[in-house]
Amino acid sequence: MTPMVEAAEITRTPLRAAPPTWLVVALTCAGQFLVVLDVSVVNVALPSMRTGLGLSEQGLQWVVNAYSIAFAGFMLLGGRAGDLYGRKRMFLIGLGLFTLASLGGGLAQEEWQLLVARAVQGLGAAVLAPSTLTILTASVPEGAARARAIGTWTAVGAGGGAAGGLVGGLLVETLSWRWVLLINVPVGAVVLCAAAWFLTEGRAGDGRRLDLPGALLVTGGLGTLAYGISQTEAAGWTAAATLLPLLAGLALIGLFLAVEARTESPLMPLGLLKLRSVSSANVAMFLCGFAMFCMWFFMTLYAQNVLGYTPLEAGLALVPSSLAVIFGSKIAPRLMRGVGTRNVAVLGTLVAVAGFAWQSTMTPEGAYATTILVPGVLMMLGAGLAATPLASLATSGAAPEEAGLVSGLVNTSRTMGGSLGLAVLSTLAAARSAGSGTPEALTEGYALAFRVGTGVLAVGVLLMWVWLPRTVREHERVSAPPGSADGGHRCASRRPYRGRRGPWAARRRSFGPGAE
């Protein structure tokens, strides 16, 4: 190509200056806020949704799980799509799909329409969420600045989950339950326009294809497994209506692992799990999500169905918990520098264990301070403290071209744990209540859910202490060239993952730190 042609091409496609870091953080956090908000915002609206659309008991659970299962099942596909086709592009596609599905759900006239809209919302969120963390980490240098940015991203995401009760209660009382979904439309449109204008494209793609069969298998397996668990309440564990979906779900997940081990371009390269930071942090995320995801669901039902709070009062009652999770997420980076990443994750989970144990002592006549305020603050303070170090550990060992995949895996582990946790704990709570709607029976069911959550988190504490690396830099190190971005030391685990197939591995070696 001649210099004249090169100059003409440069003139036709001028490079746009990179946006300020604070603006990138703000836009990615806005996207993450919407994604996480919609996991929890419907909780206080469930009684109103049941009245408006005639939802069944299982329908109430699936209003939450249709979103979270699609979210978890397609998260890895969304992360890989960002790596291959561009993180900004996937951010815009995911946010657009999420916004349109919110409109459809807000206008739904039948139960199936609402559930389909919630599933499509989850699909949009699965495409959007990995791009938020990947764009952020690609724009902020590794070190203290990135830790602060991840802390802000975690705090905003946690705040979205925490604010769901208040936002949902306010919208239900002042407008209607439909606005817990319709509110996403104007907000999503504003963020979509700002992101399209200001964000710059970035990718580390190598032309590989998306593993759509893997995404369908893991989503189908998770959804079928959750359905089987929910059937145990009505049919029992030994009935065909329970055993068939349980076995089918396990078979689909097993088939997913077999496909991933053999395909040339797997959705989840199983070799990544050999990295201690990736595998240990994601298992810890799964266990934390199993218990903590359900906290808002049961707390809002307890406040309304047992203590007699209105939707707005239930939302206001959980405001201190919302502030606690944000506070925990913001102070976590400082504590990580002082006492170590692993220690902060363990400390946060121990605080959450104390809150769950306290909450499991709830009574039908409980006072606000002792049955909602203090245990809620402890649970969410612990969640905020644990989330940032676990996210930092999980993303610290991957090569640049795996950034979207590992970011998706972090969210997948937490949300998949939450989906299965909601199915298991709500089934246990309903079984303990034995179909009775009295405050005493409901309280017994909710208390059992929190006791089981306490045990799961206690197992998580033990696992974190034994398995997690001490810090985000505690990996096998090799020498790096002088003046490199990592201060003269490069983590060996950051070398690109080399898969089973030779041609793929050869292509992957062509990427370096500048691939972004």
Side-chain angles (χ1 to χ4, degrees), residues 61 229-233 422-432:
Q61 176 185 325
I229 293 171
S230 68
Q231 287 292 98
T232 60
E233 177 194 350
L422 179 59
V424 171
L425 297 182
S426 61
T427 300
L428 291 175
R432 176 58 62 92

Side-chain angles (χ1 to χ4, degrees), residues 334-369:
R334 297 182 182 180
L335 293 177
M336 287 161 58
R337 293 193 296 270
V339 302
T341 307
R342 182 195 66 177
N343 294 338
V344 176
V346 171
L347 173 64
T349 310
L350 281 173
V351 173
V353 167
F356 270 78
W358 189 329
Q359 189 65 55
S360 69
T361 65
M362 64 175 67
T363 64
E365 299 84 17
Y368 168 69

Side-chain angles (χ1 to χ4, degrees), residues 167-176 179 312:
V167 173
L170 185 63
L171 292 173
V172 169
E173 288 216 358
T174 58
L175 297 170
S176 78
W179 278 94
L312 180 57

Side-chain angles (χ1 to χ4, degrees), residues 400-401 508-516:
E401 64 271 23
R508 301 293 290 273
R509 283 193 286 271
S510 65
F511 291 96
E516 295 294 320

Side-chain angles (χ1 to χ4, degrees), residues 180-500:
V180 302
L181 300 173
L182 293 176
I183 192 64
N184 294 326
V185 178
V187 177
V190 170
V191 177
L192 191 66
C193 292
W197 180 257
F198 290 110
L199 291 182
T200 56
E201 189 57 276
R203 77 188 75 185
D206 54 9
R208 288 181 285 125
R209 296 180 179 179
L210 288 176
D211 181 19
L212 184 59
L216 293 175
L217 284 171
V218 71
T219 305
L222 182 62
T224 306
L225 195 61
Y227 175 76
I229 293 171
S230 68
Q231 287 292 98
T232 60
E233 177 194 350
W237 285 98
T238 59
T242 299
L243 289 177
L244 289 178
L246 287 177
L247 293 174
L250 292 174
L252 288 173
I253 293 174
L255 185 58
F256 164 73
L257 295 175
V259 168
E260 297 307 284
R262 293 179 177 275
T263 186
E264 182 176 355
S265 301
L267 182 66
M268 185 181 72
L270 300 182
L272 275 177
L273 299 180
K274 295 178 181 179
L275 298 176
R276 180 182 174 190
S277 61
V278 175
S279 57
S280 60
N282 277 280
V283 172
M285 280 283 197
F286 180 91
L287 294 176
C288 289
F290 187 98
M292 295 178 184
F293 179 86
C294 305
M295 178 267 189
W296 304 108
F297 182 84
F298 289 111
M299 290 287 277
T300 52
L301 290 180
Y302 171 65
Q304 293 185 70
N305 294 340
V306 176
L307 300 183
Y309 289 18
T310 65
L312 180 57
E313 289 171 342
L316 289 172
L318 295 174
V319 166
S321 303
S322 307
L323 300 177
V325 72
I326 296 172
F327 178 73
S329 300
K330 293 301 292 181
I331 66 171
R334 297 182 182 180
L335 293 177
M336 287 161 58
R337 293 193 296 270
V339 302
T341 307
R342 182 195 66 177
N343 294 338
V344 176
V346 171
L347 173 64
T349 310
L350 281 173
V351 173
V353 167
F356 270 78
W358 189 329
Q359 189 65 55
S360 69
T361 65
M362 64 175 67
T363 64
E365 299 84 17
Y368 168 69
T370 56
T371 58
I372 292 182
L373 177 61
V374 177
V377 166
L378 288 174
M379 285 186 281
M380 289 299 99
L381 176 62
L385 284 172
T388 299
L390 289 177
S392 296
L393 284 168
T395 58
S396 66
E401 64 271 23
E402 299 292 358
L405 173 64
V406 177
S407 300
L409 189 59
V410 170
N411 282 298
T412 297
S413 299
R414 177 172 50 199
T415 311
M416 189 177 294
S419 301
L420 292 179
L422 179 59
V424 171
L425 297 182
S426 61
T427 300
L428 291 175
R432 176 58 62 92
S433 302
S436 174
T438 65
E440 292 77 14
L442 292 173
T443 301
E444 288 184 11
Y446 302 151
L448 175 62
F450 281 103
R451 283 198 295 275
V452 174
T454 302
V456 171
L457 289 177
V459 172
V461 169
L462 207 55
L463 180 144
M464 291 179 205
W465 183 256
V466 172
W467 195 7
L468 287 178
R470 292 181 182 274
T471 70
V472 295
R473 304 294 294 175
E474 189 187 37
H475 306 285
E476 183 183 357
R477 300 169 188 265
V478 296
S479 298
S484 62
D486 49 10
H489 292 86
R490 181 169 297 165
C491 172
S493 62
R494 288 188 68 86
R495 290 174 293 182
Y497 165 69
R498 289 161 172 81
R500 298 173 64 250

